[in-house]
Amino acid sequence: MRPMQSKFQRKRMNVPSLNMASMPDLIFTVLFFFMIVTHMRSDEVKVRVEVPQGKEMQKLANKASVVNIYIGHRNDGKGDQKAWLVQFNGDLVAPEEIPARIEQLRAGMSPENAEHLTVNLRADRRTPMGVINNVKQALQKSYALRINYSATDLKQ
């Protein structure tokens, strides 16, 4: 006698393999997108900065016209660890040198970016107000009057 076959017997179906030919194109397109959109930091921070915390913060809109000034202690372990240093973009400078650096930077910018020049001040939370005032007075001499103070988000 033959074994009984069910009417509802399942047929074996093979899953078709995926075509992976377009995968490298997709990966390179996504990689290219992130390379275009991502803003790479151009200056190496040479001072140790622990920024204060804040509640109401905003992001900077036009990063092409932003100048970074860091105020903090030496980060590389050389020299006086207690001295407060000012870093303008990538170089350690004295506050008196800032107006010349600002003018040099404005000369290389487009007129729209030079008009909207914003100084991003990242000062250590323990920086004496006298050091910050020296930097602000140097910025006033070069008519760089838009100053942004950086902070981290206050965790509730």
Side-chain angles (χ1 to χ4, degrees):
M1 226 181 180
R2 260 176 47 184
M4 227 167 131
Q5 287 185 349
S6 169
K7 281 191 207 178
F8 304 106
Q9 190 176 25
R10 287 188 174 175
K11 292 182 182 178
R12 290 265 182 194
M13 303 213 42
N14 292 336
V15 178
S17 63
L18 291 174
N19 184 3
M20 300 296 280
S22 63
M23 186 63 84
D25 293 337
L26 179 68
I27 290 171
F28 284 117
T29 303
V30 171
L31 179 67
F32 185 71
F33 170 76
F34 284 115
M35 286 173 51
I36 296 296
V37 173
T38 303
H39 175 73
M40 301 301 258
R41 178 188 268 180
S42 60
D43 50 327
E44 176 189 342
V45 181
K46 297 177 182 175
V47 295
R48 187 175 59 243
V49 178
E50 184 183 331
V51 293
Q53 295 179 334
K55 290 182 182 178
E56 297 181 24
M57 294 178 293
Q58 298 174 352
K59 293 208 177 237
L60 291 174
N62 186 6
K63 293 194 177 187
S65 62
V66 174
V67 177
N68 293 310
I69 295 181
Y70 302 94
I71 303 174
H73 291 295
R74 190 173 281 280
N75 200 20
D76 57 6
K78 301 175 186 173
D80 187 9
Q81 297 294 317
K82 299 292 183 186
W84 292 98
L85 300 173
V86 178
Q87 179 181 343
F88 184 89
N89 279 345
D91 302 324
L92 295 175
V93 297
E96 300 82 34
E97 298 175 40
I98 292 176
R101 298 280 181 127
I102 293 281
E103 293 307 316
Q104 195 176 34
L105 193 67
R106 275 192 178 140
M109 287 182 158
S110 68
E112 299 113 21
N113 286 343
E115 182 181 331
H116 297 290
L117 180 71
T118 303
V119 176
N120 186 25
L121 199 63
R122 292 184 61 98
D124 189 89
R125 65 179 352 151
R126 293 175 205 87
T127 304
M129 203 59 203
V131 175
I132 294 175
N133 279 335
N134 290 343
V135 171
K136 285 173 55 177
Q137 287 173 358
L139 291 170
Q140 278 181 334
K141 289 178 186 175
S142 62
Y143 297 103
L145 304 177
R146 288 191 180 126
I147 300 175
N148 176 49
Y149 296 95
S150 293
T152 57
D153 195 14
L154 181 64
K155 304 294 182 216
Q156 297 285 336

